[in-house]
Amino acid sequence: QNSPSAPLLPSIRAMTSFTVNAILEETSKRDKDYRYMATSDLLSELQKESFKPDTDGEKKICKAILKLLNDQSSDVQGLAVKCLPPLVRKVHDAQVDAIITELCKFVLEGKEEQRDICAIALKTVVVEMPSSMGGAAARQLVPRLVSGVLKDKLEVKLESMDILNDVLRRFGSLLKPELSAQCNDALFAQLASTRAATRKRAISCIAALSAALSDKLLSQLVGSIVERMKMPAVDLDLGRTYIQTLSAISRSGGYRLGRQLELVMPLVLQQ
């Protein structure tokens, strides 16, 4: 005699698919209350342990959530962000990849209101995505965020560094040396900014990056800061910024800074 539960699996999946399609239809309604309730229902479905959409379902859900993140209602946007943690833990890597690509594009090129919510969403994805995706995510995100750090528009620059900080803290050790160097060069240039907010974020990012650098690259980083501090053109403010950077690096991996102490200490004491 067959187990009575055996035929249920396809029907459960069919039921899930039917439920999700009905919910996704509601997310496109003109009335924001319908969209809000539909997004709330979608969040409930995503949080269910038993919820396992098929590939087609995954694509539809991801597309809908990206659209809801740009909804005219901030309440709907907020719920869409809450959908991301359970979503990125359930869907295949290719879908997470597509979400990252779209969100990054909005952060770097979108309008102000798009940029704000998509930056929050992207940070959420970085924090919540499976560790197994770290290498691929870092390879995809870091070059894009570095291009954002180098942009003239202040808001894009600051958002890019905020997100980059999260990426480096979680996945910095997975970066290849050339990508680490590219990242370091872009951040280093921000230390000379006239804006305190830019310098502060650059210092945080460099500290996060330094914790993941090889001893050789860390030594080069500290050496380059020391060399710049010795330049006659360095004013008091920039000198202080370099010292704050060295201090942040030492907090991230102070024991490894020991080899450079004889270089660093005289310069710190001079300030």
Side-chain angles (χ1 to χ4, degrees), residues 100-110 144:
I100 286 172
T101 303
E102 277 300 296
L103 292 177
C104 210
K105 192 171 89 176
F106 284 128
V107 170
L108 298 179
E109 300 164 17
R144 288 189 170 120

Side-chain angles (χ1 to χ4, degrees), residues 147-183:
S147 76
V149 171
L150 296 172
K151 283 185 183 287
D152 291 331
K153 195 172 182 67
L154 180 65
E155 294 79 8
V156 174
K157 190 188 286 283
L158 297 181
E159 289 290 14
S160 296
M161 283 194 277
D162 272 346
I163 301 162
L164 183 59
N165 198 359
D166 288 341
V167 174
L168 293 173
R169 286 187 189 284
R170 189 151 185 230
F171 303 122
S173 59
L174 303 174
L175 292 186
K176 291 191 172 169
E178 59 271 22
L179 199 48
S180 292
Q182 183 188 346
C183 190

Side-chain angles (χ1 to χ4, degrees), residues 9-256:
L9 285 174
S11 65
I12 286 171
R13 177 156 279 189
M15 204 168 91
T16 299
S17 181
F18 175 78
T19 307
V20 167
N21 283 334
I23 291 170
L24 294 181
E25 220 172 284
E26 293 290 302
T27 63
S28 297
K29 290 281 173 77
R30 287 184 67 180
D31 189 322
K32 75 170 185 181
D33 290 335
Y34 279 104
R35 297 198 305 274
Y36 181 87
M37 288 306 298
T39 311
S40 179
D41 290 343
L42 182 57
L43 176 58
S44 298
E45 288 298 315
L46 287 167
Q47 287 171 334
K48 289 177 184 172
E49 200 64 42
S50 58
F51 182 69
K52 302 261 191 307
D54 56 22
T55 305
D56 188 46
E58 286 184 7
K59 287 179 183 173
K60 286 179 181 173
I61 294 166
C62 292
K63 188 177 176 184
I65 288 175
L66 285 168
K67 188 180 174 188
L68 290 165
L69 284 168
N70 288 301
D71 197 275
Q72 291 174 333
S73 161
S74 59
D75 292 335
V76 173
Q77 288 180 333
L79 269 183
V81 170
K82 287 182 181 176
C83 287
L84 288 169
L87 179 71
V88 297
R89 291 194 288 264
K90 282 182 186 286
V91 299
H92 289 92
D93 290 2
Q95 301 310 323
V96 181
D97 216 40
I99 291 171
I100 286 172
T101 303
E102 277 300 296
L103 292 177
C104 210
K105 192 171 89 176
F106 284 128
V107 170
L108 298 179
E109 300 164 17
K111 295 173 186 169
E112 188 178 346
E113 58 274 15
Q114 280 181 319
R115 186 171 58 247
D116 291 347
I117 192 68
C118 288
I120 293 167
L122 188 50
K123 286 177 199 170
T124 304
V125 172
V126 168
V127 170
E128 298 289 346
M129 72 169 66
S131 301
S132 58
M133 275 204 69
R139 281 194 301 277
Q140 190 193 143
L141 271 173
V142 170
R144 288 189 170 120
L145 293 171
V146 164
S147 76
V149 171
L150 296 172
K151 283 185 183 287
D152 291 331
K153 195 172 182 67
L154 180 65
E155 294 79 8
V156 174
K157 190 188 286 283
L158 297 181
E159 289 290 14
S160 296
M161 283 194 277
D162 272 346
I163 301 162
L164 183 59
N165 198 359
D166 288 341
V167 174
L168 293 173
R169 286 187 189 284
R170 189 151 185 230
F171 303 122
S173 59
L174 303 174
L175 292 186
K176 291 191 172 169
E178 59 271 22
L179 199 48
S180 292
Q182 183 188 346
C183 190
N184 183 52
D185 289 346
L187 292 166
F188 209 95
Q190 307 310 309
L191 294 177
S193 169
T194 55
R195 294 185 177 271
T198 301
R199 296 196 302 271
K200 187 178 177 184
R201 282 170 174 78
I203 289 169
S204 292
C205 285
I206 289 171
L209 178 63
S210 70
L213 289 177
S214 66
D215 286 349
K216 184 183 175 185
L217 281 174
L218 179 63
S219 178
Q220 286 174 2
L221 169 60
V222 174
S224 64
I225 295 174
V226 168
E227 284 306 307
R228 288 183 188 226
M229 285 176 74
K230 288 177 179 175
M231 289 179 180
V234 171
D235 61 25
L236 194 60
D237 282 345
L238 189 52
R240 281 182 184 145
T241 300
Y242 287 146
I243 286 173
Q244 287 165 0
T245 307
L246 289 170
S247 175
I249 292 170
S250 73
R251 285 195 297 274
S252 279
Y255 67 97
R256 294 202 298 151

Side-chain angles (χ1 to χ4, degrees), residues 215 218-220 222-223 226 256-266:
D215 286 349
L218 179 63
S219 178
Q220 286 174 2
V222 174
V226 168
R256 294 202 298 151
L257 204 59
R259 298 185 187 95
Q260 277 87 33
L261 271 181
E262 69 276 9
L263 286 174
V264 172
M265 283 311 294

